[in-house]
Amino acid sequence: MVDAVKSVEVKVKSGASQVRALAEKGNVILGADETLKEVRAGRLKKVFISSTPPKDVVSLLERHGVEVVQTGVSSADLGVACKKPFGVAIVGVRGE
């Protein structure tokens, strides 16, 4: 049981650290509205989501064939990973 918990913690940290690295490069779109605009235009292929994303947005992303990566962290923590003082539920990735 302890090993399973450690595995989940590593995956969560990995997702947040991937977002942090991409944000530092400036390759991200923050928020559902902007992300959906980019998806509809065909410019995004991968999206990271917090543990509590808007369900209608996630289903729309999946219908557009976008890879949806669940980070397992809260919106507040995902915002911190993007160096923002507010919560971010959805982070779109350009050029991946």
Side-chain angles (χ1 to χ4, degrees):
M1 182 75 162
V2 173
D3 290 334
V5 171
K6 286 181 182 177
S7 174
V8 170
E9 288 175 0
V10 168
K11 288 179 184 175
V12 167
K13 288 179 183 176
S14 175
S17 63
Q18 283 180 340
V19 170
R20 181 176 294 118
L22 291 166
E24 287 174 358
K25 293 179 184 177
N27 293 341
V28 296
I29 304 292
L30 304 179
D33 293 338
E34 292 301 315
T35 298
L36 288 175
K37 284 181 194 175
E38 294 291 312
V39 166
R40 288 183 183 119
R43 292 188 283 257
L44 297 181
K45 298 292 180 203
K46 189 175 195 178
V47 175
F48 290 88
I49 59 172
S50 71
S51 58
T52 56
K55 294 194 187 307
D56 58 330
V57 173
V58 174
S59 64
L60 191 94
L61 291 169
E62 290 171 343
R63 276 187 266 147
H64 278 277
V66 175
E67 179 185 356
V68 177
V69 180
Q70 296 182 353
T71 61
V73 298
S74 69
S75 302
D77 289 339
L78 197 53
V80 168
C82 296
K83 298 187 178 185
K84 299 296 177 192
F86 49 83
V88 176
I90 298 176
V91 178
V93 180
R94 286 190 197 123
E96 278 249 333

